[in-house]
Every structure is written in structure tokens, then in C-alpha cells.
């Protein structure tokens, strides 16, 4: 290795060490350590165009408003938070799902202000924003979907968004999904995107999605903002049913901190531009859409505020699938389990305690607990073959599997979460400032 190559290698190592030192001091990372290598090259979705601008909703000099324009005939499906304090934008979107797809459609999203818990002012803001977009794009107002994310309880001045509509419309292009993904971030440390393609007959259809989410993530629908686009031709009722079923398999099985947002919105738009029809029985398309949703869901967990570990909690042998999910969520949401994971402590007793408090049926002496392939406990007691040093070594991995077999029946569930670190506290202790 030449001198220049050695210097370059040392500089790269020094940069990494400086980043680690900063994270150790501040407890936060500029980019989550579990982040993917980069943003994926998403396919162009025919019938859809995107733009993003710096409007200054809350953040200085960064993209914070995105617009999607969708061609006439686009089917729109959506699922939304079940929170009793959901935002005006969420309630407005819920009312519009199922509207006549003959006309075009638009989606406008801002980051920095959630426009939630803002009373009648919130509804007035949404009406002004969606009305202005409808006039500018030339679509019915009931085909304009809006979403807002950020601080709760502060009014959103609609002029901040409507004043940038000229720029948004003038910069609409088919290949700007990455910029749109950047514009919807709040505490996210990286933009999130995923893609898939599937053959239908002798032709390909494409799927591309973006998401934001890092904190206030708990299963109760979509737990974040997600926008997925496909050029497939699908009837709206079919797409809606498919989305609901797949949400229960993906986004509803992740949790970062057990807190559900007031603004959770997941919208899927099928432009039909490929003229390739997909029905409810097309297993290939369903799998491709599920893969995109699962990829985005996992990226949200990997970007969990302050997260350093990606954790799969797997429960098998429960009396029912519902019981298994209840147990899995009790483990995944337990602060004691999550802090043990952060500290790389193989404290399996905390898993036992989480099961005991879940409320679902369990029999203590039938439980088996494993860390990855390491059998830790069985028959209500520590496994005779288990060695603490093996568990401690396993907990140093960035990705972990916590597996509990209830020993009762065939119920099973999988939930994905992350650890709970000082970084989470630091990010959320001064979020409003």
C-alpha cells in the first residue's frame, strides 16, 4: 500500500473515530448506525410526478414540503392512526378515501408542524392548503390529500405552503422521489425509500415508496408517514383491502417507544399507467407490495431515535396468534428489556417479567427463551447448557433475535423494535426547541 493510500485510510479511520467520540459525548448520531448504505435508486412510476422545496415551516435551509401529482384514474388507498387526538389532515384524508378516481389527484406533505390539536384553526388550514393545491394542479379538492408531521399544538400557517405552490408545481418531475423523502423528515437521520418490481403476465409493474419515522412509533396503524406509488392498475376497493391486510403484517408490528402519533398516514397510489391489471388474487404483486412495506417499516426501526440495536422479538407456541402478538409487544415495549439490550446485558429475567405482565395467557414452566441460537432458559428455569458469557457475547451484535416459545399451541408473532438509549432522552427532552 502506497503512502497516499495509507494516509487516506488513516483519515477515514480518524473520521469514524471522531464520529464515535461525538456520539459518546452527545448520545446522538448524525446518521443512525443502523442506517442502510444509501438511498436506493427508485424506479420512475409512470403517471406520477414529484417536487420538494424549502418552505421554512420549522427547519432552516432544508427541504420540508413535498408535492405529488397523480394522473387521472389513480386509485388511492389509505390507512390512518386510530388515535383519538388525530390531526385535521388525518381526518380530512379519511373522509376523501374512496373518492371518484376519474380525476387526477395530489398529495402535499409538510415537516416541522403536525397541525394536530389545533382546533378549528387546524381544519381551516387544511381546507386552505388542499383548496389551493386543487386550483393550482387542476384536480377536485376531494382528491387532494395532505399530511403534516412535527410539533403538536402549534397552528400551521397555510400561507407557508400555499406561497410555495408556484415553485412546487414548476419543479414537478417523475424522478424526484428521493427529494420528496428528504422533505418529509423530522428527527429522521436518513431518508427512507424502498422498491420492488413484479411480472404480471409478460409485463413488469413497479412499486416505489418513501417513509418518515424515527420516534413516536407504536403499532396502531401505520405509525408514521408513508407514501407508496405503483404503475399497476388496481380497483380502489381491492387496493384498500390489500393495504389493510399488509399493514397488519408490517407497520403494525413495529415499535420504537410505544407512543402512537396523532398524524400517522399511509397512502398507496396506483396510477394504472402501465395498463397492467392486478386483482386481489395476484400473489406476486401482493408479495412485492408487502416487501416494500416491510423494508420501510424496518428502516423506521433502524432509525429509531437513539437506536444502536435492531431487535426482532419472535414468539411461538402461544395459544393464539393474538396472544403471541400481545406477548411480543410486551417484550418489545418494555423499557427494562430495551435498556438491557442497549447495555448489552443478557438479562433474560426481564423478558420473563414482560411476559408475565402482558395479560395474555402463559404458563411459567413451559417457557423457553433463546438469544439467537443460544438456548437461555427452558422449563421455567435457566438452561443447564447456558453460559452467561455466550449470552453477553451475543448481545454485542447490532442485530438481535429474542425468541420465546410459550410451549402451549401454534400461535406465533414477530415484532421489530430497537434499544432504548441516552440518545432517545436527549432528542425528546428538547424536541420543541
Amino acid at each position: 500500500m502506497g503512502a497516499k493510500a495509507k494516509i487516506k485510510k488513516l483519515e477515514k479511520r480518524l473520521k469514524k473515530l471522531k464520529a464515535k467520540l461525538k456520539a459518546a459525548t452527545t448520545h446522538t448520531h448524525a446518521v443512525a448506525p443502523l442506517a442502510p448504505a444509501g438511498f436506493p435508486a427508485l424506479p420512475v412510476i409512470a403517471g406520477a410526478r414529484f417536487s420538494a422545496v424549502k418552505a421554512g415551516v420549522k427547519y432552516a435551509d432544508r427541504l420540508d414540503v413535498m408535492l405529488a401529482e397523480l394522473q387521472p384514474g389513480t386509485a388511492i388507498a389509505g390507512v390512518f392512526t386510530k388515535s383519538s387526538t388525530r390531526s385535521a389532515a388525518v381526518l380530512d384524508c379519511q373522509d376523501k378515501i374512496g373518492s371518484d378516481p376519474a380525476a387526477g389527484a395530489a398529495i402535499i406533505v409538510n415537516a416541522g408542524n403536525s397541525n394536530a390539536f389545533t382546533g378549528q384553526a387546524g381544519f381551516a388550514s387544511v381546507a386552505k392548503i388542499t383548496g389551493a393545491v386543487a386550483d393550482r394542479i387542476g384536480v377536485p379538492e376531494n382528491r387532494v390529500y395532505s399530511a403534516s408531521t412535527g410539533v403538536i399544538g402549534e397552528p400551521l400557517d397555510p400561507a407557508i405552503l400555499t406561497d410555495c405552490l408556484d415553485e412546487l408545481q414548476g419543479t414537478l418531475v417523475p424522478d424526484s422521489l428521493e427529494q420528496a423523502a428528504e422533505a418529509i423528515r423530522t428527527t429522521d437521520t436518513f431518508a427512507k425509500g424502498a422498491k420492488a418490481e413484479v411480472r404480471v403476465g409478460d409485463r413488469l409493474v413497479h412499486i416505489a415508496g418513501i417513509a418518515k419515522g424515527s420516534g413516536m412509533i407504536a403499532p396502531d396503524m401505520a405509525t408514521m408517514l408513508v407514501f407508496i406509488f405503483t404503475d399497476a392498475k388496481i380497483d380502489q376497493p381491492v387496493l384498500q383491502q390489500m393495504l389493510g391486510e399488509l399493514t397488519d403484517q408490517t407497520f403494525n408490528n413495529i415499535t420504537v417507544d410505544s407512543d402512537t402519533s396523532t398524524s400517522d398516514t399511509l397512502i398507496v397510489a396506483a396510477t394504472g399507467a402501465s395498463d397492467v391489471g392486478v386483482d386481489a388474487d395476484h400473489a406476486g404483486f401482493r408479495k412485492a407490495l408487502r416487501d416494500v412495506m416491510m423494508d420501510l417499516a424496518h428502516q423506521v426501526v433502524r432509525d429509531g431515535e437513539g437506536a444502536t440495536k435492531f431487535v426482532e422479538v419472535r414468539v411461538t407456541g402461544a395459544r393464539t396468534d393474538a396472544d403471541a402478538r400481545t406477548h411480543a409487544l410486551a417484550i418489545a415495549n418494555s423499557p427494562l428489556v430495551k435498556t438491557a439490550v442497549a447495555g448489552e446485558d443478557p438479562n433474560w429475567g426481564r423478558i420473563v417479567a414482560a411476559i408475565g405482565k402482558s395479560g395474555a395467557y402463559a404458563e411459567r414452566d413451559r417457557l423457553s427463551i433463546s438469544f439467537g441460537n443460544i438456548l437461555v432458559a427452558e422449563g421455567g428455569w435457566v438452561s443447564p447448557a447456558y453460559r452467561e458469557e455466550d449470552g453477553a457475547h451475543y448481545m454485542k451484535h447490532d442485530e438481535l433475535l429474542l425468541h420465546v416459545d410459550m410451549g402451549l399451541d401454534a400461535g406465533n408473532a414477530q415484532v421489530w423494535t430497537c434499544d432504548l438509549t441516552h440518545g432517545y432522552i436527549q432528542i425528546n427532552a428538547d424536541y420543541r426547541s
Side-chain angles (χ1 to χ4, degrees):
M1 182 183 294
K4 288 185 178 180
K6 288 181 179 179
I7 291 172
K8 190 174 182 180
K9 184 177 181 180
L10 287 171
E11 288 176 342
K12 188 175 180 180
R13 186 179 179 189
L14 180 60
K15 185 178 180 181
K16 287 183 177 180
L17 288 172
K18 285 182 176 179
K20 287 183 178 179
L21 179 61
K22 184 178 179 181
T25 304
T26 65
H27 306 299
T28 60
H29 296 84
V31 178
L34 302 172
F39 193 85
L42 299 181
V44 169
I45 302 298
R49 299 196 300 165
F50 309 92
S51 60
V53 300
K54 300 174 181 179
V57 177
K58 176 177 186 275
Y59 306 105
D61 196 32
R62 55 159 281 189
L63 298 172
D64 59 357
V65 178
M66 67 82 79
L67 176 67
E69 178 194 56
L70 304 161
Q71 73 172 25
T74 297
I76 305 285
V79 290
F80 306 91
T81 180
K82 297 173 185 174
S83 169
S84 298
T85 55
R86 53 194 179 276
S87 72
V90 169
L91 292 167
D92 184 64
C93 281
Q94 286 180 301
D95 287 342
K96 293 173 177 176
I97 291 296
S99 57
D100 186 357
I107 302 170
I108 186 165
V109 186
N110 75 271
N113 185 322
S114 72
N115 194 24
F117 204 66
T118 50
Q120 290 305 308
F123 292 103
S125 178
V126 169
K128 289 179 180 178
I129 292 167
T130 57
V133 171
D135 291 342
R136 190 62 55 90
I137 301 297
V139 300
E141 194 276 336
N142 70 348
R143 291 280 287 168
V144 179
Y145 302 85
S146 68
S148 298
T149 179
V151 175
I152 294 171
E154 295 185 5
L156 174 63
D157 181 359
I160 297 176
L161 275 65
T162 58
D163 286 352
C164 64
L165 285 178
D166 282 340
E167 184 180 358
L168 282 166
Q169 186 183 29
T171 54
L172 285 165
V173 290
D175 58 350
S176 192
L177 257 180
E178 182 173 359
Q179 288 70 37
E182 289 285 354
I184 64 177
R185 295 194 299 128
T186 51
T187 58
D188 304 54
T189 68
F190 62 90
K192 301 168 181 64
K195 63 180 178 178
E197 64 179 25
V198 58
R199 187 168 295 279
V200 180
D202 60 351
R203 299 175 65 183
L204 286 176
V205 297
H206 303 87
I207 305 172
I210 60 174
K212 70 81 52 182
S214 185
M216 201 177 280
I217 304 294
D220 192 12
M221 186 296 302
T223 62
M224 67 210 78
L225 300 186
V226 184
F227 306 99
I228 301 174
F229 306 90
T230 177
D231 54 11
K233 189 175 183 179
I234 313 174
D235 289 338
Q236 196 279 335
V238 172
L239 185 62
Q240 185 66 48
Q241 182 176 353
M242 189 181 299
L243 177 62
E245 293 170 355
L246 295 179
T247 298
D248 283 340
Q249 299 173 26
T250 56
F251 293 115
N252 274 352
N253 286 330
I254 66 171
T255 178
V256 168
D257 49 18
S258 80
D259 276 319
T260 297
S261 170
T262 58
S263 306
D264 298 344
T265 298
L266 167 53
I267 289 176
V268 177
T271 68
S274 68
D275 203 31
V276 178
V278 172
D279 60 25
D281 297 325
H282 198 285
F285 181 85
R286 179 185 289 268
K287 180 183 182 303
L289 179 57
R290 183 184 184 277
D291 288 347
V292 168
M293 293 169 67
M294 187 68 82
D295 190 341
L296 292 172
H298 283 187
Q299 286 187 55
V300 169
V301 173
R302 291 177 181 280
D303 199 19
E305 290 171 342
T308 65
K309 307 280 189 182
F310 179 83
V311 184
E312 176 184 331
V313 179
R314 184 184 303 167
V315 175
T316 57
R319 288 205 304 188
T320 65
D321 289 347
D323 274 4
R325 187 169 182 273
T326 297
H327 286 307
L329 286 172
I331 296 166
N333 284 325
S334 166
L336 289 177
V337 172
K338 291 162 75 71
T339 50
V341 171
E344 300 179 343
D345 177 11
N347 192 337
W348 55 274
R350 293 182 174 181
I351 296 175
V352 174
I355 292 168
K357 73 169 186 178
S358 78
Y361 186 80
E363 292 186 24
R364 182 195 61 199
D365 294 343
R366 290 178 176 268
L367 294 179
S368 295
I369 300 172
S370 299
F371 295 157
N373 293 322
I374 302 169
L375 181 62
V376 176
E378 57 182 333
W381 187 241
V382 64
S383 172
Y386 175 63
R387 298 190 308 161
E388 182 78 3
E389 55 266 35
D390 292 339
H393 177 74
Y394 179 77
M395 297 299 286
K396 294 183 181 299
H397 294 166
D398 291 339
E399 300 192 11
L400 302 170
L401 168 63
L402 308 182
H403 179 200
V404 177
D405 189 88
M406 306 300 297
L408 298 170
D409 209 320
N412 68 88
Q414 290 171 283
V415 169
W416 295 272
T417 190
C418 58
D419 54 345
L420 178 60
T421 70
H422 292 289
Y424 182 87
I425 298 170
Q426 182 168 334
I427 291 167
N428 286 284
D430 61 357
Y431 179 69
R432 281 169 53 89
S433 60

